[in-house]
Amino acid sequence: MFKIMPVFGTRPEAIKMAPLIKLLEAQEKIKVITTVTAQHREMLDQVLDLFKIKPVYDLDIMKPGQSLIEITVGVLSKIEQIIGQEKPDLILVHGDTSTTFVSSLAAFYHRIPVGHVEAGLRTYNKYSPFPEEMNRKLTGCLADLHFAPTQTAKEALQKEGVPLDRIVVTGNTVIDALLQTVDKSYIFQDEELNTLDFAKKKVILLTAHRRENLGVRMEHIFQAVRKIVDKNPGVEVVFPVHLNPLVQEAARQVLGGLEQVKLVPPLEYKAFANLMDRCYLVLTDSGGLQEEAPALGKPVLVLRDTTERPEAVTAGTVKLVGTDPEKIIAETTSLLVNSDLYWKMAAAVNPYGDGKAAERILQAIRYYFKLSSQPVKEFKLG
Ligand code: UD1
Ligand code: UDP
């Protein structure tokens, strides 16, 4: 049996690995040893429950308010024994978290090949996003097989000297997950969300969690949101607040108690994706939302100075606005009052995938390890 060990630890990795894990588990000749670091706990478990993924190993490393070094040391020391015991043929990691980088490093120390899902995204700014830009780059240095979601990501890897036969453009598995999840007849379990009037109100979906935004920048974002609802009685904001205590506190302090702002706990993916599908626009510093919202035709204002996902910016559905409150207010107000501008941005585009990324990754693994002679047809736009 060919043994594959997917390793992941946070909510977005779990969502994006889920379609691939389900596909791998359905293969007769592949043994899947799903391992979670649990860098996130509750937010990871929500995804595991939804997709019915049962990890074989759970490192359970999360601590409240954990530092980057605590995550690094926790994962590295706990994964050692499992890799040594299982000796998989391939370790699969995803994206740019500390789990991703550290698991790849452990795989390298054990001389186990690494497959990197969502490889090649770059801002070329070491500190933005922090520490994700370097996590992804370092993982790229350690990886043997690079699953680039887009042509741009492939070109970035090529420029860094990765041989062409090690890169496959697959599309992003997040689109696989999204297409399996969005359902026009979905009914929210949370009564508060069920009573939202998406037809009469302009519902803004807000998320914020990036480490480089913690502190003053995040307060600025929330102050801007406060002013936006003050000036626009027809607007409702839904903010599923990340469990990072620093985010929780800032959100409560600046936005708590406002009638037009619903601060809710992190939503399970099905509820979240369907909320995104029904909202008016998205304000976020998330990476994944920049990929999902364009596919649903929702304009996104990105609360960051850089993005490693330029494709939807080029397509016109995503705009970088940073964290200056005046800029956030001005850009959001334009989308609330100028319907021409809104509809230009709300044209659904799908530069990130077609729902078949997991299938391409499986084929690429088979081809690379000579389990099949069939090369992969890469994901192409349009
Ligand atoms: C991590 C990733 C980031 C990714 C984000 C997705 C790193 C360095 N960062 O950032 O790339 O965008 O996940 O959300 O890998 N917490 C809980 N329960 C949970 C999850 C988090 O209580 O289920 C709290 C804990 O106090 C934890 C804190 O949030 O210490 C921060 O979690 P951590 O994984 O360190 O960083 P994120 O900001 O979530
Ligand atoms: N998400 C979710 N529930 C929430 C907020 C986000 O399921 O309450 C999903 C979202 O659809 C996306 C992913 O989580 O797929 C993004 O996670 P996050 O913003 O935490 O991380 P990033 O993408 O920035 O790494």
Side-chain angles (χ1 to χ4, degrees), residues 9-13 38-46 61-68 70-72 95-101 129-133 135 209-211 214 242-248 266 285-288:
T10 66
R11 169 174 66 194
E13 291 164 81
Q39 175 180 332
H40 284 173
R41 185 71 275 171
E42 303 88 333
M43 286 159 59
L44 172 73
D45 292 343
Q46 280 182 321
I61 66 136
M62 197 197 87
K63 289 188 191 143
Q66 63 207 354
S67 71
L68 295 175
E70 280 174 309
I71 304 172
T72 305
D96 60 4
T97 71
S98 292
T99 286
T100 315
F101 161 55
F130 173 80
E132 289 82 9
E133 173 73 2
N135 278 343
H209 72 82
R210 295 238 81 81
R211 263 187 161 76
L214 295 174
H242 190 289
L243 293 179
N244 187 329
L246 297 172
V247 182
Q248 293 267 329
D285 65 6
S286 160

Side-chain angles (χ1 to χ4, degrees), residues 39-298:
Q39 175 180 332
H40 284 173
R41 185 71 275 171
E42 303 88 333
M43 286 159 59
L44 172 73
D45 292 343
Q46 280 182 321
V47 186
L48 297 177
D49 289 348
L50 176 69
F51 288 96
K52 298 189 173 53
I53 293 171
K54 291 197 175 22
V56 180
Y57 296 101
D58 187 330
L59 309 189
D60 200 23
I61 66 136
M62 197 197 87
K63 289 188 191 143
Q66 63 207 354
S67 71
L68 295 175
I69 289 180
E70 280 174 309
I71 304 172
T72 305
V73 173
V75 174
L76 204 51
S77 63
K78 286 198 171 178
I79 207 164
E80 154 110 77
Q81 201 195 347
I82 297 168
I83 298 180
Q85 212 168 288
E86 292 286 353
K87 297 189 175 53
D89 297 292
L90 172 68
I91 289 187
L92 277 181
V93 295
H94 181 280
D96 60 4
T97 71
S98 292
T99 286
T100 315
F101 161 55
V102 179
S103 310
S104 312
L105 182 62
F108 166 67
Y109 286 159
H110 281 268
R111 297 174 186 253
I112 309 269
V114 174
H116 187 195
V117 182
E118 202 187 77
L121 282 64
R122 298 285 186 269
T123 61
Y124 303 102
N125 180 336
K126 189 173 169 181
Y127 294 107
S128 179
F130 173 80
E132 289 82 9
E133 173 73 2
M134 289 312 287
N135 278 343
R136 201 187 298 267
K137 213 169 164 187
L138 293 165
T139 303
C141 293
L142 297 164
D144 299 86
L145 252 179
H146 307 255
F147 306 112
T150 63
Q151 189 62 33
T152 313
K154 176 179 181 172
E155 284 159 17
L157 290 164
Q158 267 182 280
K159 272 191 223 143
E160 290 170 20
V162 178
L164 251 186
D165 61 356
R166 301 292 183 103
I167 315 170
V168 182
V169 181
T170 59
N172 198 308
T173 53
V174 80
I175 303 298
D176 301 25
L178 189 70
L179 297 179
Q180 291 165 23
T181 307
V182 169
D183 172 3
K184 300 284 175 206
S185 60
Y186 177 79
I187 297 170
F188 297 102
Q189 273 160 20
D190 178 333
E191 236 354 89
E192 237 193 331
L193 297 181
N194 254 343
T195 53
L196 277 171
D197 189 342
F198 293 96
K200 291 207 183 107
K201 297 277 180 182
K202 289 185 171 158
V203 175
I204 297 180
L205 178 57
L206 168 68
T207 80
H209 72 82
R210 295 238 81 81
R211 263 187 161 76
E212 68 270 23
N213 276 348
L214 295 174
V216 177
R217 291 165 67 92
M218 199 161 285
E219 276 165 35
H220 283 165
I221 294 173
F222 297 161
Q223 278 154 5
V225 171
R226 205 186 158 106
K227 287 197 181 139
I228 291 166
V229 292
D230 269 356
K231 285 193 193 143
N232 297 278
V235 165
E236 296 242 19
V237 174
V238 183
F239 179 10
V241 189
H242 190 289
L243 293 179
N244 187 329
L246 297 172
V247 182
Q248 293 267 329
E249 193 176 324
R252 238 191 328 265
Q253 266 187 16
V254 186
L255 297 171
L258 296 181
E259 209 175 304
Q260 287 164 264
V261 180
K262 290 190 196 318
L263 300 180
V264 296
L267 295 173
E268 56 97 10
Y269 185 55
K270 197 156 195 164
F272 188 81
N274 284 292
L275 177 60
M276 187 163 32
D277 189 41
R278 292 169 202 189
C279 77
Y280 183 78
L281 66 86
V282 176
L283 289 179
T284 192
D285 65 6
S286 160
L289 267 72
Q290 294 176 56
E291 296 155 343
E292 294 166 322
L296 299 173
K298 303 297 167 181

Side-chain angles (χ1 to χ4, degrees), residues 16-25 92 117 173 358 361-362:
K16 291 169 164 185
M17 284 295 248
L20 180 57
I21 289 173
K22 298 315 276 183
L23 184 66
L24 293 173
E25 283 176 347
L92 277 181
V117 182
T173 53
I361 293 170
L362 171 63

